[in-house]
Amino acid sequence: MAYKTKEWRNAMRVTVDYNYMMSKSLGDKGITDGDIKAVKEKAEGAFRYVAANRGRDDLFMGWTELPYNQDAIVADIIATAKQVRKKFKYFVVLGIGGSALGPIMAFNALCHLHYNELSPSKRKGPKFYVEDNVDPVRMAALLDVIEPEKTCFNVISKSGATSETMTQYLIISDILKKAGVDIAENMIFTTDAVKGNLQKIDASFGGKVKKYVLPDGVGGRFSELSPVGLLPAAVLGIDIKGMLAGAAYMDNLCSKPSVAKNPALACAVLQYITMKQGKNINVLMPYSDNLKLMADWYCQLWAESLGKAVDYDGNLVNAGTTPVKSLGVTDQHSQVQLYIEGPYDKVITFISVANYATTMPIPHGCEDIPDVGFLGGHSMQELIQAENKATAYALMRAGRMNYTINMPEVNAFTLGQLMYLLEMQTAYTGAMLNINTFNQPGVENGKKATFALLGKKGYEGQKKEMDSAPALDDKYIV
Ligand code: PA5
């Protein structure tokens, strides 16, 4: 069934404005139509690659189909979320990386900015926390504010072998056991269908733990539209059908192989061209507190997907650009000076919002002080939008490349569009770079080194190698 009316969906369309990337605005500092033409074949090749392989589990491209193949799962998640809301005072996600950043981002985007501080009658669900670290102080702080026996813990790990998540699990399950709580009652696992340790753990509880599947062909950072993100979102009362409908809507907008007609391909081409020009910093700057953590989510998506040593032909390419998170207008007072006058090594992507959830009128006052008086009679929405426009303009006048993703408002449907747009942009850019966008060999090496340091069986060789590596030298300690 279609989501809302066609008119409403079209009014909620997310668009990309890249005028301030082009030579028409930036003179010789900008991209020309000729530059875009020069990579046309490569861009079309990337489009064809993604179109031909979409949905393929073996290539980790299952995420493309998530807007379409989850009807039964969504119904189940909505029913479970209803029970969780009835039964529990707190909902805690145990996970890290791709298993944590999506749920936090959606919470930030679509819930009240002080959600946990609201009275229970004003909240749609239980208090919500995501433990995406193993900082002992953070875990202790969580335990100070929740009551474990009144908490639903959603353990999210595809492998069930991630030290951080499983450490969180061990601590929490020990507390529940000691409190005499049946773990199967207070935990939900989101994991691989057959592989992985959470399946074994569930088996040890007689298969009684409620489980959701993180599909085989969906990697962590592309998983927010799978049960990884859908269950926490549904518990929070977020319209998960709207999120999926938004993703499907954006998928349709990205169904043409032309830069002029496909927003994700346009963004990928801009990023690719500027990358080749040596611009190696990619800033995402939403002008919305609700989208602040979208920048965190995007940083992982971009960095882990495109930061690769070799391409598909085995060439050493050391690909990728460094994503930077920024927030408008806050970071106008911290980073923008550098963006306007520093090196020409950045592309800035703004996310602008046309209608904020509230406008907040600014009262008249201090009329005799011109620096203050002019603000009265406007609204905070007008001010933030004016500052957004002014910053983009100032960057353009300084010859600095920037483009804007326009969101009519921040809601489940537009958030779904934005996520899918950024995922598609990443997939197209990876295909243009001829690299594997969906693996993370560098992260795996760090994991193995941690195993060795903590004495995990089977990693003795690695430990030996680490012990014989250059030792710390007092000479360089100050
Ligand atoms: O994007 C990724 O694949 C990673 O960030 C993983 O999500 C992260 O390492 C957690 O892995 P797992 O879900 O196996 O615990």
Side-chain angles (χ1 to χ4, degrees):
M1 207 177 65
Y3 183 79
K4 301 207 178 180
T5 63
K6 192 174 172 194
E7 291 69 33
W8 185 89
R9 292 196 302 273
N10 291 343
M12 288 297 140
R13 176 175 170 169
V14 171
T15 59
V16 177
D17 176 345
Y18 61 95
N19 273 299
Y20 286 175
M21 295 292 288
M22 303 301 291
S23 58
K24 215 172 153 205
S25 312
L26 299 175
D28 62 3
K29 296 275 188 311
I31 292 172
T32 63
D33 290 337
D35 293 332
I36 293 181
K37 228 184 196 160
V39 297
K40 185 171 178 278
E41 238 170 74
K42 203 175 254 302
E44 287 177 359
F47 174 86
R48 280 196 303 275
Y49 176 82
V50 173
N53 294 307
R54 51 180 301 145
R56 275 185 61 175
D57 285 350
D58 56 334
L59 294 177
F60 277 92
M61 289 201 38
W63 58 272
T64 60
E65 304 314 295
L66 293 173
Y68 311 108
N69 60 12
Q70 298 190 96
D71 285 356
I73 296 163
V74 165
D76 189 301
I77 283 177
I78 289 173
T80 300
K82 208 171 155 191
Q83 294 304 318
V84 168
R85 284 204 295 272
K86 249 195 227 152
K87 195 169 156 198
F88 293 103
K89 231 172 130 179
Y90 311 90
F91 187 86
V92 175
V93 171
L94 305 181
I96 198 157
S99 298
L101 288 164
I104 312 175
M105 175 272 287
F107 171 57
N108 173 234
L110 300 174
C111 294
H112 190 287
L113 287 173
H114 297 294
Y115 173 91
N116 282 342
E117 282 90 63
L118 291 173
S119 65
S121 62
K122 286 191 176 159
R123 266 190 272 123
K124 285 197 181 145
K127 286 195 179 187
F128 184 80
Y129 301 93
V130 181
E131 278 301 285
D132 67 336
N133 204 349
V134 281
D135 182 330
V137 176
R138 180 176 179 148
M139 179 56 87
L142 174 76
L143 294 172
D144 281 342
V145 296
I146 63 166
E147 298 157 89
E149 63 288 358
K150 293 180 184 165
T151 305
C152 178
F153 295 95
N154 184 196
V155 187
I156 307 180
S157 178
K158 187 163 180 152
S159 60
T162 304
S163 303
E164 296 86 347
T165 308
M166 298 320 289
T167 296
Q168 295 162 5
Y169 167 80
L170 287 172
I171 290 171
I172 297 297
S173 58
D174 184 57
I175 290 171
L176 291 177
K177 244 184 264 164
K178 284 179 177 152
V181 177
D182 180 359
I183 285 173
E185 285 291 311
N186 284 50
M187 285 202 174
I188 299 177
F189 292 167
T190 306
T191 189
D192 189 89
V194 280
K195 291 178 279 181
N197 296 324
L198 288 174
Q199 294 290 351
K200 288 185 203 154
I201 292 173
D202 176 40
S204 75
F205 293 120
K208 283 192 307 177
V209 181
K210 174 77 182 163
K211 293 193 301 303
Y212 286 101
V213 169
L214 208 175
D216 217 15
V218 179
R221 57 192 176 274
F222 286 84
S223 69
E224 175 52 18
L225 293 168
S226 79
V228 167
L230 296 180
L231 176 66
V235 167
L236 290 161
I238 291 171
D239 173 12
I240 59 173
K241 288 184 182 171
M243 262 169 37
L244 292 167
Y249 184 85
M250 179 53 68
D251 188 24
N252 186 47
L253 293 177
C254 297
S255 58
K256 305 256 168 15
S258 130
V259 165
K261 294 197 176 127
N262 179 333
L265 194 59
C267 295
V269 163
L270 299 172
Q271 295 289 348
Y272 179 82
I273 292 172
T274 51
M275 219 178 261
K276 293 293 164 191
Q277 292 175 347
K279 293 191 168 35
N280 55 20
I281 297 176
N282 170 6
V283 180
L284 187 68
M285 189 167 187
Y287 271 72
S288 161
D289 268 69
N290 283 115
L291 298 174
K292 181 176 177 176
L293 300 185
M294 169 54 76
D296 283 50
W297 176 81
Y298 173 70
C299 281
Q300 188 214 8
L301 180 71
W302 189 258
E304 219 167 67
S305 298
L306 303 183
K308 298 292 153 67
V310 289
D311 69 10
Y312 274 125
D313 299 322
N315 302 312
L316 183 69
V317 288
N318 297 120
T321 57
T322 304
V324 171
K325 44 193 179 185
S326 190
L327 177 69
V329 307
T330 307
D331 287 317
Q332 284 177 207
H333 298 267
S334 109
Q335 301 172 7
V336 166
Q337 168 65 30
L338 172 75
Y339 299 168
I340 291 190
E341 293 192 0
Y344 286 85
D345 56 359
K346 300 169 200 68
V347 173
I348 291 124
T349 307
F350 294 111
I351 305 178
S352 301
V353 178
N355 290 301
Y356 289 74
T358 180
T359 56
M360 195 60 73
I362 306 172
H364 289 282
C366 305
E367 262 101 0
D368 50 337
I369 308 174
D371 287 344
V372 185
F374 80 99
L375 294 165
H378 292 288
S379 68
M380 286 182 97
Q381 171 169 295
E382 271 183 274
L383 180 61
I384 193 170
Q385 287 173 335
E387 294 201 38
N388 184 174
K389 246 187 215 147
T391 304
Y393 173 80
L395 283 162
M396 180 275 289
R397 295 297 284 173
R400 310 302 170 130
M401 289 180 170
N402 67 91
Y403 65 94
T404 298
I405 299 173
N406 289 303
M407 290 182 78
E409 57 184 60
V410 180
N411 60 38
F413 185 75
T414 58
L415 190 76
Q417 287 184 67
L418 181 60
M419 279 189 261
Y420 206 85
L421 170 73
L422 296 172
E423 288 176 346
M424 266 295 169
Q425 168 197 323
T426 305
Y428 287 144
T429 310
M432 289 182 80
L433 291 165
N434 189 33
I435 55 166
N436 186 340
T437 308
F438 305 104
N439 65 358
Q440 52 280 328
V443 180
E444 299 307 322
N445 292 340
K447 281 187 188 176
K448 284 180 198 153
T450 307
F451 295 157
L453 286 174
L454 291 186
K456 185 174 171 187
K457 219 166 155 219
Y459 291 84
E460 296 80 4
Q462 170 109 22
K463 175 78 169 65
K464 234 184 190 167
E465 189 197 306
M466 289 172 80
D467 287 344
S468 64
L472 286 180
D473 188 333
D474 280 352
K475 190 175 153 196
Y476 298 119
I477 298 176
V478 289

